[in-house]
Amino acid sequence: MKPRLSILQVLEKGSLTTGSVVQMYELARGLAARGHRVAVVSRPEGEVVLRSRADGIPIFPVPLRHEFDFGSAGLLAGLIDERAVDVVHVHKGIAHSAALFATVFSRRRPRPVLVVNRGVSFPLDRASSLKYRFRLDAVVTVCEDIRRVVIESGGVPPEKVHVVYAGVDLARFDPTRADGPRVRREWGVSADEKLLVQVGARDWKGWRDLVSAAALLAPAFPGLRTAVIACKDEAERERVLAFAGEKGVRDRVLAIGFRGDMPDVLAAADIVADLSSEGLGITGTIREAMALARPVVASSAGGNPELVEDGISGLLVPPHDPPAVAAAVGRILENPGLAGELAAAARERVVRGFSTEVRLDRIEELYSRLIAGRARAGRSREATTVSR
């Protein structure tokens, strides 16, 4: 039987429209369901506080204002002592800094294991590199590509950097339960039209490449509609539509705001794309769409090739290459048999290695191994002291 651990999951961000927040919360909830004594630390505002309370997970609002917020670090140290914490798992830069200071301020001995999650492929700068080499027991990266970046740019010992792929809740992203037709009716997309969907309207998400590809496809596929999801406000929606107008497809492009019904949104699509070009690990939208048995087209940037097996469980395209995107999307639209094969393989790929349950297994194993290693090191130090 696995030991019951006291765990803090710490993240300053609180919006459940952000991938890192969703992954942190799913980890906290999953570990709690497995019997661990889990608490979440986050800023007072945000959906995480409300969701934690609704789900019965202890939540401790802490300001986490900036990297040198010693007040927040002191509050975190108090929680470490009060809850006899075994593992502190942090998910962003401010949380990381607060936890470092908290382990210095805390009276708990031995100090808790400190684990840092890294989900972006940007190189570590000098200041971040120092944080990653001080009082840190493990870095969890969401793909091999980010692991390489952390080791090379941060000088972190390779044995401390572990890949644990982010997971999908297979019960929530279940193709037999999702209601895609409802979303298509809401958007006015008929059953005989094809719908291409991408989530993310930030520039590095590649939405312009998607719209450009849709324009290239328009003559051959007049029934193709394209939706760009997660426009943050009306100005961003109009920016997407204006660009579509420049490309001559404004009437075929939908610019949609944030949605809380992502299983239904992705299930509404005939093809899901993500053309991100920088900073990414593995695109969560692609992983979720694959769980829903949707054929996907993804950029070959970051860790996407670790998830999408080109030609087997999806199609990969180079970043910033609208003609390649158009060719990939057209290939799927022209070949229903290929679309079905890609969709079935995609679901199986996620079930085997990218589900929430697989992630929980790997995180539990890592925590246990780190704590056991700490205990062995402590016994070794005691033996050395006695022998002297």
Side-chain angles (χ1 to χ4, degrees):
M1 185 174 180
K2 294 179 180 178
R4 183 171 181 259
L5 302 177
S6 177
I7 303 165
L8 290 183
Q9 298 288 338
V10 190
L11 175 59
E12 62 266 22
K13 294 182 179 295
S15 172
L16 287 167
T17 62
T18 303
S20 60
V21 180
V22 171
Q23 289 296 319
M24 180 281 291
Y25 189 74
E26 290 299 318
L27 182 59
R29 186 170 66 174
L31 290 169
R34 291 188 174 197
H36 298 289
R37 187 170 179 249
V38 180
V40 173
V41 177
S42 187
R43 287 173 177 159
E45 67 281 357
E47 300 158 276
V48 165
V49 173
L50 299 176
R51 181 70 65 82
S52 297
R53 287 172 178 160
D55 289 343
I57 298 174
I59 173 73
F60 295 95
V62 172
L64 297 169
R65 299 180 187 90
H66 50 73
E67 300 269 353
F68 294 96
D69 185 351
F70 296 120
S72 291
L75 293 173
L76 193 55
L79 286 173
I80 290 171
D81 295 343
E82 177 186 334
R83 295 181 64 85
V85 170
D86 301 301
V87 179
V88 179
H89 193 152
V90 300
H91 297 261
K92 285 290 183 182
I94 293 175
H96 184 177
S97 297
L100 280 178
F101 291 122
T103 61
V104 174
F105 300 158
S106 169
R107 297 187 302 274
R108 178 158 171 73
R109 296 295 179 270
R111 66 175 178 82
V113 164
L114 178 59
V115 178
V116 175
N117 232 74
R118 182 76 176 175
V120 294
S121 59
F122 298 114
L124 297 173
D125 58 26
R126 183 173 296 181
S128 295
S129 297
L130 289 174
K131 288 200 305 183
Y132 274 74
R133 295 197 298 268
F134 179 66
R135 298 177 77 86
L136 182 64
D137 295 283
V139 181
V140 171
T141 68
V142 299
C143 63
E144 292 286 351
D145 187 63
I146 294 178
R147 180 177 187 271
R148 175 187 57 78
V149 170
V150 168
I151 292 168
E152 292 179 358
S153 66
V156 182
E159 64 273 14
K160 285 192 172 186
V161 189
H162 309 267
V163 175
V164 179
Y165 293 120
V168 178
D169 182 348
L170 295 177
R172 182 169 181 241
F173 289 88
D174 180 347
T176 67
R177 297 172 61 186
D179 190 358
R182 176 188 63 80
V183 173
R184 291 175 73 101
R185 289 192 299 271
E186 178 187 337
W187 293 349
V189 180
S190 65
D192 60 347
E193 291 179 305
K194 297 298 183 181
L195 181 61
L196 172 63
V197 167
Q198 168 158 321
V199 178
R202 289 172 289 182
D203 289 342
W204 62 270
K205 295 293 288 184
W207 64 268
R208 286 186 177 84
D209 297 328
L210 183 76
V211 173
S212 298
L216 294 174
L217 289 162
F221 300 97
L224 177 65
R225 305 284 296 277
T226 300
V228 178
I229 316 298
C231 298
K232 66 181 179 181
D233 52 29
E234 189 60 32
E236 194 159 76
R237 287 186 67 255
E238 185 51 43
R239 184 162 63 109
V240 171
L241 294 175
F243 184 79
E246 293 173 14
K247 294 295 180 179
V249 289
R250 183 180 177 117
D251 61 333
R252 302 185 186 191
V253 172
L254 301 167
I256 308 294
F258 289 103
R259 302 283 298 212
D261 56 346
M262 288 308 299
D264 295 347
V265 167
L266 296 177
D270 294 285
I271 302 171
V272 176
D274 186 275
L275 306 179
S276 301
S277 59
E278 60 183 39
L280 73 158
I282 294 176
T283 304
T285 298
I286 292 296
R287 189 174 54 244
E288 292 166 354
M290 291 171 68
L292 288 163
R294 299 288 88 192
V296 300
V297 175
S299 71
S300 57
N304 281 346
E306 298 173 42
L307 169 64
V308 179
E309 306 153 295
D310 189 30
I312 299 173
S313 54
L315 299 181
L316 293 173
V317 295
H320 303 306
D321 193 340
V325 177
V329 172
R331 183 180 166 196
I332 295 172
L333 291 175
E334 290 173 340
N335 191 338
L338 173 64
E341 291 170 6
L342 294 175
R347 170 75 181 181
E348 180 60 26
R349 176 80 169 149
V350 171
V351 169
R352 288 200 317 268
F354 296 86
S355 73
T356 297
E357 291 303 310
V358 170
R359 181 187 184 217
L360 287 168
D361 289 342
R362 292 171 178 169
I363 288 290
E364 274 190 319
E365 191 277 332
L366 176 62
Y367 288 171
S368 297
R369 184 153 37 94
L370 293 172
I371 290 169
R374 174 71 60 77
R376 285 194 299 271
R379 288 194 295 270
S380 177
R381 285 193 297 270
E382 290 176 4
T384 301
T385 301
V386 170
S387 66
R388 288 175 180 172

